[in-house]
Amino acid sequence: MNWLYFTLIAATGFGIISVMAKDIMADTSAVIYTALYSVLGLIFYTPVFLYYAFTLEHSAPFLAVAGLGVSMVGNVLAFIIYNYSVKEGKLSQVVPITRLTPVFAAAIAAVVLGEAVSIALASGVIFATTGAIIVLKEEKVSYLRSIEDGLHTKAIKAAIISAFLYGVTSVADRYATQIIAPEIYNYFIYVGMSSGLLAAAYYRYSHPSEEILDTFNEYSIYYVFTGIIAAGSSLAIFKAFSAASAAKVTTVLQFQVLIPVIAGVLLFDEKDLTRKLIGSIILIAGIGLSAI
């Protein structure tokens, strides 16, 4: 059951990062923020990588390297497409759609890797996804109306593509980390993501270096903690993928949704607690079913 502990550690870390991101991205673009996030994760993880590079045996057959490449490209594309969906659509419609990743991961892993989906796991995926959507739903927004309206918009289509791509990267991670040590794999994922996101920043902005330095100087403490937590959390999630199916890991990873919900209640005086509590209970039930 080590995979469960690693996933919960990663989910907690990513949840904490999302709370800090709420503050940072109030006046920082998502592209600049995530590019800096990835670079800092790479910087903080490099000493760990160097240690394991000299202590672990290396194995990198073609298919494992291909899986690594798919994950690198997929993560960058998914991020860019997700941000497009947020920019063009309503947050209350877009964000819940991104919680469909475990559904896509389970289906893709079953086809590509031949991973079995038990009744308990399928129920866990459905429960966790449903719970996350309930938690993230905004007040006075109808689920059915959101679906009916949303499916005709480019924003919702982009959000679905984003969730699908994250499902693809999850399966790629699951395959590759069974061959390439997660401690090594994590470093190259950061190399790929940092390169891709910096390229996106330079493509989109005239002077991205200045914007990166400005936001880092303004939120330096937040960014340092973000880089450290990101490095540790991503290693934990790859350790989990190396030991358990993509469907299980991505389902339990939904736990990260609860962190900003708790923070919202404690720090930002957010309302509608009854709905969030119900959604959280359903989400946790799904996690429990997935861990069986």
Side-chain angles (χ1 to χ4, degrees):
M1 294 291 285
N2 282 344
W3 71 269
L4 178 60
Y5 305 130
F6 281 126
T7 308
L8 290 174
I9 289 169
T12 302
F14 291 137
I16 291 170
I17 288 172
S18 70
V19 174
M20 291 190 287
K22 184 182 179 74
D23 241 1
I24 297 173
M25 288 199 288
D27 55 3
T28 304
S29 82
V31 173
I32 295 294
Y33 165 76
T34 312
L36 183 51
Y37 163 119
S38 298
V39 170
L40 288 170
L42 174 62
I43 291 170
F44 284 113
Y45 190 74
T46 296
V48 180
F49 164 73
L50 291 174
Y51 170 78
Y52 283 111
F54 289 104
T55 57
L56 293 177
E57 293 184 5
H58 307 300
S59 177
F62 174 76
L63 287 178
V65 174
L68 173 64
V70 168
S71 184
M72 286 179 178
V73 175
N75 273 294
V76 173
L77 286 177
F79 166 76
I80 293 171
I81 293 171
Y82 169 74
N83 279 304
Y84 168 82
S85 71
V86 169
K87 180 180 178 181
E88 297 297 326
K90 296 178 181 178
L91 206 60
S92 59
Q93 292 179 332
V94 168
V95 175
I97 292 295
T98 64
R99 297 297 103 193
L100 293 174
T101 294
V103 177
F104 287 122
I108 296 166
V111 174
V112 177
L113 302 181
E115 291 184 349
V117 180
S118 65
I119 294 176
L121 178 56
S123 301
V125 169
I126 293 170
F127 270 68
T129 301
T130 301
I133 290 174
I134 291 173
V135 167
L136 293 169
K137 173 186 170 290
E138 287 192 1
E139 194 176 1
K140 298 179 182 179
V141 177
S142 164
Y143 291 110
L144 290 178
R145 182 62 181 273
S146 294
I147 293 172
E148 289 172 3
D149 292 345
L151 288 177
H152 298 293
T153 67
K154 291 181 179 179
I156 291 298
K157 291 175 183 177
I160 293 172
I161 293 171
S162 172
F164 172 77
L165 286 172
Y166 279 126
V168 170
T169 63
S170 298
V171 174
D173 292 335
R174 165 60 176 160
Y175 176 78
T177 54
Q178 293 179 86
I179 302 169
I180 302 172
E183 295 84 356
I184 304 297
Y185 187 84
N186 192 35
Y187 175 78
F188 288 104
I189 286 291
Y190 270 116
V191 170
M193 286 187 62
S194 298
S195 301
L197 290 167
L198 282 173
Y202 274 89
Y203 175 78
R204 184 168 177 179
Y205 299 98
S206 302
H207 304 287
S209 299
E210 293 178 11
E211 296 199 33
I212 288 172
L213 286 174
D214 287 343
T215 185
F216 179 77
N217 289 332
E218 185 175 358
Y219 298 100
S220 55
I221 295 176
Y222 275 8
Y223 273 118
V224 168
F225 277 112
T226 294
I228 294 171
I229 295 171
S233 298
S234 56
L235 175 58
I237 201 62
F238 292 138
K239 295 278 284 185
F241 275 124
S242 71
S245 71
K248 284 188 173 185
V249 173
T250 52
T251 299
V252 175
L253 194 60
Q254 298 276 40
F255 180 76
Q256 68 182 290
V257 169
L258 301 183
I259 306 299
V261 168
I262 295 169
V265 173
L266 296 179
L267 303 177
F268 303 109
D269 195 29
E270 293 183 359
K271 309 299 182 184
D272 208 6
L273 300 183
T274 301
R275 170 180 55 78
K276 291 178 180 177
L277 179 61
I278 292 171
S280 298
I281 291 170
I282 296 172
L283 191 158
I284 291 171
I287 290 173
L289 285 168
S290 302
I292 294 174

